[in-house]
Amino acid sequence: MWGGSIPTDSASLARHLADLSTTHAVASISRRIAAIAKAHAVAGHDNPCGSELVSATMRGIRRRLGTAQQQARPLLRDDLFAILDRLGNRPKDMRDRAMLLIGFATAMRRSELVALNVEDVETTSRGLMVTVRRSKTDQEGRGRQIAVPPGRTRHCPVAAFKEWVAFAQLENGPIFRGVDRHGKIHLRGVSGEAVSHVIKARLSDAGYDPAGFSGHSLRAGFVTAAALAGAPSHKIRETTGHRSDASMTRYLRHVDLFHDPAIARVL
């Protein structure tokens, strides 16, 4: 949980938070405080997190770092297509094409995407039925299902998925696996960090500056693109798994800013 011991005192905790502020964002530090507070409560100890010293330390950290979270840039459809247009037919190209299209079409978090197994995807006459077994907001593993119909454009997630699974001869286990420079497909699945690497590398190959993009860009891109296309928020949430429109607000910042801006009435 953290480098100290439970219970701890407010002075030790304040020093710990000050150290964290050199490497962590405010949101991450706040989550750390919540975890430490919970650990004290479970063990029946007095909670040092609410002390004035800790509160003052956090006020200072917020003033210095600011509270705005750095958010991943959304990878929108046209930019995604520009990346896909440059992919060839090598094993890694086929894997990356399927990864990018399935990641975008399902709006899964990168941890959910790399955890996807062959058994989790059912091929039907209407497309793919993808089952997400567990997610960050579903620790009990109740799961959710996402329907992926065939695409209407030159880049179809269903076709890309089928092509990769058939080529790699996948019958069970991880869908997205490591591929070496010789085209050999490994048995182990890729890590969540590999999704970020694929996005950044493929953006760079297509002539884009990859700065600001991450494994979360597919999820953010889906929400933004779907909202711009006029999809109802409840249908977007069916895919993303958000429980309310409020929890999806941060993804819609670009949509809201471009909706009837004042300058559109002038120029």
Side-chain angles (χ1 to χ4, degrees):
M1 184 178 302
W2 68 298
S5 59
I6 301 295
T8 189
D9 57 77
S10 58
S12 297
L13 179 56
R15 287 194 297 271
H16 175 60
L17 298 179
D19 290 340
L20 283 178
S21 69
T22 63
T23 56
H24 290 63
V26 172
S28 297
I29 298 173
S30 297
R31 288 193 293 270
R32 186 70 62 89
I33 292 175
I36 293 172
K38 180 69 173 178
H40 278 79
V42 169
H45 299 305
D46 291 337
N47 179 17
C49 300
S51 70
E52 178 55 31
L53 177 59
V54 171
S55 297
T57 301
M58 281 305 299
R59 287 196 295 270
I61 291 172
R62 291 190 182 96
R63 283 195 298 269
R64 183 164 63 85
L65 299 181
T67 56
Q69 284 186 270
Q70 185 177 357
Q71 297 174 336
R73 292 176 61 183
L75 183 60
L76 300 180
R77 193 195 74 161
D78 290 348
D79 300 326
L80 174 62
F81 281 12
I83 294 172
L84 296 172
D85 285 340
R86 293 184 61 87
L87 296 181
N89 292 307
R90 298 174 305 167
K92 188 171 288 188
D93 292 329
M94 286 189 281
R95 184 206 63 185
D96 290 358
R97 182 182 293 110
M99 180 188 293
L100 292 168
L101 280 168
I102 293 297
F104 186 87
T106 61
M108 286 191 285
R109 299 173 179 87
R110 68 179 191 176
S111 59
E112 298 166 353
L113 185 61
V114 299
L116 206 60
N117 289 327
V118 176
E119 303 92 315
D120 299 329
V121 182
E122 179 187 359
T123 301
T124 74
S125 60
R126 302 177 67 182
L128 305 177
M129 183 60 71
V130 180
T131 299
V132 181
R133 302 291 178 186
R134 187 181 297 273
S135 69
K136 184 174 71 173
T137 56
D138 178 23
Q139 295 301 312
E140 296 177 358
R142 288 172 294 184
R144 74 178 192 277
Q145 291 188 310
I146 304 171
V148 181
R152 297 179 297 174
T153 67
R154 64 187 183 277
H155 294 298
C156 172
V158 176
F161 169 82
K162 290 181 177 179
E163 179 184 42
W164 166 243
V165 169
F167 176 83
Q169 300 180 352
L170 303 180
E171 297 182 356
N172 52 61
I175 293 173
F176 302 113
R177 307 182 181 201
V179 180
D180 66 22
R181 59 193 180 93
H182 302 295
K184 180 180 178 181
I185 301 170
H186 299 168
L187 294 177
R188 295 180 61 184
V190 299
S191 66
E193 187 59 35
V195 179
S196 297
H197 176 74
V198 167
I199 292 172
K200 288 177 177 289
R202 295 304 188 176
L203 278 165
S204 182
D205 290 344
Y208 288 81
D209 180 359
F213 289 94
S214 72
H216 209 67
S217 292
L218 294 171
R219 183 172 169 85
F222 166 86
V223 175
T224 306
L228 285 170
S233 62
H234 73 279
K235 297 302 292 185
I236 297 175
R237 288 194 285 107
E238 278 184 7
T239 299
T240 63
H242 285 103
R243 296 177 181 175
S244 67
D245 288 353
S247 62
M248 206 166 56
T249 300
R250 66 191 181 102
Y251 294 100
L252 301 177
R253 59 197 183 280
H254 298 294
V255 179
D256 294 336
L257 288 172
F258 279 97
H259 178 69
D260 194 23
I263 192 63
R265 299 172 182 268
V266 180
L267 296 178

